[in-house]
Amino acid sequence: MRVVSLVPSLTEAVAATVSGTLVGATDWCTHPTDLDVARIGGTKNPKVDRIVALAPDLVIANEEENRAPDLAALRAAGIEVLVTEVRDVPRAFEELARVLQACGATARPRWLDEAEQAWSALPPPAHRTTAVVPIWRRPWMVVGRETFAGDVLSRLGVDHLYATHTERYPRIPVEQLRAAAPDVVVLPDEPYRFAADDGPEAFPGLPCALVSGRHLTWYGPSLAEAPRVLGEALRAARR
């Protein structure tokens, strides 16, 4: 089985489960850190000709991260493409099981069971917290409706203020984000790399939680530790 992954979290999931299956991955596929496969460009601009040259049996993709024209070009070249759709935690587990089976896994991996247990064992939040969740600046963009990251935060007791916006990732002027007066501003380190000196200064007087984008937005082995890692970062911001 020869697989090319266009989704960083799926790359990590397949590499951790079906060793030797991956022959290509995007430049953004950073886990596992020792992954040694052909690099085929970015998630939004993959090199279709390079992927075709790898002669994969399957390309795995995501409806949000990858562009429909690129996937259509791969199919036109005779390559099978599996497209996932993940907008909440339960669907992530379903899609992970589907992808791993399609990639030749003969048994359900332990990490997937551990991840499901980690999320199913979460106690009800003692209190709810409001948040805005920027994912980009210049222009400022935030998590909006029906997103995986939004569902992750909701299960941790965090209600982001743009959950009912008509767009999934709306552009909102930073002045409006500040005026919304959230309990906390959640700043992940991807896709924009927010850091202690790049992001919090835009929200004076508001607690800011710098969180791991891998734990907030990836669906793969990182899901097992995501509740703990994100929970610690959120609590630290409110102290």
Side-chain angles (χ1 to χ4, degrees):
M1 187 74 172
R2 295 173 61 82
V3 176
V4 170
S5 173
L6 302 183
V7 185
S9 56
L10 295 180
T11 297
E12 183 178 16
V14 173
T17 307
V18 197
S19 179
T21 297
L22 286 170
V23 296
T26 75
D27 299 341
W28 301 105
C29 294
T30 57
H31 287 73
T33 55
D34 60 351
L35 183 67
D36 184 16
V37 298
R39 299 294 175 162
I40 50 77
T43 58
K44 303 296 186 186
N45 57 348
K47 308 297 184 184
V48 173
D49 56 345
R50 194 175 300 173
I51 297 171
V52 173
L54 290 170
D57 300 300
L58 180 68
V59 171
I60 50 178
N62 175 262
E63 52 89 28
E64 179 176 86
E65 294 196 50
N66 308 120
R67 300 187 317 127
D70 295 321
L71 305 183
L74 290 169
R75 290 190 176 104
I79 296 173
E80 182 180 355
V81 180
L82 185 160
V83 182
T84 59
E85 181 179 315
V86 177
R87 300 192 181 185
D88 57 38
V89 172
R91 185 62 181 271
F93 293 130
E94 293 173 5
E95 291 287 62
L96 282 165
R98 182 167 74 101
V99 166
L100 295 175
Q101 183 177 28
C103 291
T106 57
R108 184 181 173 87
R110 176 179 295 179
W111 66 259
L112 188 53
D113 288 334
E114 291 174 347
E116 284 208 70
Q117 174 61 26
W119 284 96
S120 64
L122 277 178
H127 64 276
R128 309 294 300 182
T129 298
T130 61
V132 294
V133 190
I135 58 164
W136 203 258
R137 67 184 302 177
R138 295 186 291 272
W140 286 91
M141 299 174 66
V142 299
V143 167
R145 66 173 179 84
E146 296 181 1
T147 65
F148 176 73
D151 187 61
V152 164
L153 290 171
S154 178
R155 292 168 188 274
L156 296 173
V158 179
D159 300 315
H160 70 93
L161 297 180
Y162 293 91
T164 60
H165 197 280
T166 56
E167 298 177 27
R168 297 186 68 202
Y169 298 101
R171 297 184 179 189
I172 307 292
V174 69
E175 295 81 9
Q176 291 185 28
L177 298 180
R178 289 194 291 257
D183 295 323
V184 64
V185 180
V186 178
L187 298 170
D189 60 10
E190 62 173 78
Y192 186 90
R193 189 174 291 277
F194 288 106
D197 60 351
D198 186 358
E201 81 289 343
F203 301 95
L206 292 175
C208 291
L210 293 165
V211 304
S212 161
R214 176 169 167 260
H215 291 96
L216 179 62
T217 65
W218 287 33
Y219 36 92
S222 59
L223 277 171
E225 59 183 11
R228 175 184 58 81
V229 172
L230 294 172
E232 290 173 353
L234 292 166
R235 287 191 294 273
R238 299 299 310 281
R239 288 177 186 148

